[in-house]
Amino acid sequence: MSAYRDKDPRIHGIQSKIRVVPNFPKPGIMFQDITTLLLDPKAFKDTVDLFVERYKGKNISVVAGIEARGFIFGTPIALEIGAKFVPLRKPNKLPGKVISEEYELEYGRDCLEMHLGAVEPGERALVVDDLIATGGTLCAAMKLLGKSYKLLTQTAYCY
């Protein structure tokens, strides 16, 4: 976090609303629970506002939110910066044609899916999730977005 952000009074308020749950979902993990932040409208708004301030005017056309907490923050961010919202979901949750990417978590394996054609070549994407642990989910999201670009430039699809 930059020196500017360290001095922003909203940061302390946001941090104070995030509950740490030890040993969840398994021993040794210190889970950062944002549901307590969502109970405080000011802290929730401040969180969204900080993202909007950071990314507005950065030519972002896609906000990709990772299920499910990325949906909570991603949709208002997308609306405020004038971008479309693309959900990245667990398997078999999206209707229609999808592309997928498997990845490893600190406590197992998982998979993300995205609608085929949701992201067009040349679009600039922001990926939103609630936390980064090992980075596996974020890497999978980036690979999924990259796959979308490659598939769209290699094949024509009708919708």
Side-chain angles (χ1 to χ4, degrees):
M1 194 170 295
S2 71
Y4 167 78
R5 294 287 185 220
D6 289 339
K7 294 178 183 175
D8 192 314
R10 297 174 291 184
I11 297 294
H12 177 71
I14 292 166
Q15 289 173 331
S16 72
K17 298 299 177 181
I18 298 172
R19 173 176 55 175
V20 177
V21 181
N23 301 312
F24 181 81
K26 72 176 205 173
I29 294 175
M30 300 295 284
F31 187 78
Q32 307 292 308
D33 181 16
I34 60 139
T35 61
T36 49
L37 178 131
L38 300 174
L39 296 173
D40 184 310
K42 181 177 178 350
F44 184 19
K45 182 177 183 334
D46 286 347
T47 303
V48 172
D49 288 349
L50 283 169
F51 278 103
V52 170
E53 289 166 19
R54 181 171 188 167
Y55 294 106
K56 195 164 193 140
K58 302 283 187 189
N59 199 30
I60 294 169
S61 53
V62 175
V63 174
I66 298 173
E67 187 170 337
R69 293 177 191 96
F71 297 178
I72 295 167
F73 292 99
T75 51
I77 293 167
L79 288 172
E80 287 296 317
I81 68 172
K84 63 183 173 182
F85 178 77
V86 175
L88 305 181
R89 301 220 49 196
K90 303 292 182 178
N92 304 311
K93 301 281 185 174
L94 294 171
K97 292 184 180 182
V98 298
I99 55 175
S100 61
E101 181 68 34
E102 287 191 21
Y103 62 100
E104 292 202 26
L105 299 162
E106 69 238 39
Y107 48 86
R109 292 190 60 76
D110 214 335
C111 182
L112 286 177
E113 292 185 341
M114 178 178 73
H115 277 126
L116 187 60
V119 179
E120 300 290 328
E123 289 189 305
R124 187 170 172 161
L126 168 65
V127 178
V128 178
D129 199 1
D130 64 321
L131 64 90
I132 298 175
T134 63
T137 308
L138 178 60
C139 287
M142 292 168 56
K143 287 178 184 175
L144 198 53
L145 290 164
K147 276 184 185 179
S148 180
Y149 291 141
K150 289 175 187 166
L151 288 171
L152 285 169
T153 57
Q154 294 173 0
T155 311
Y157 291 93
C158 298
Y159 298 98

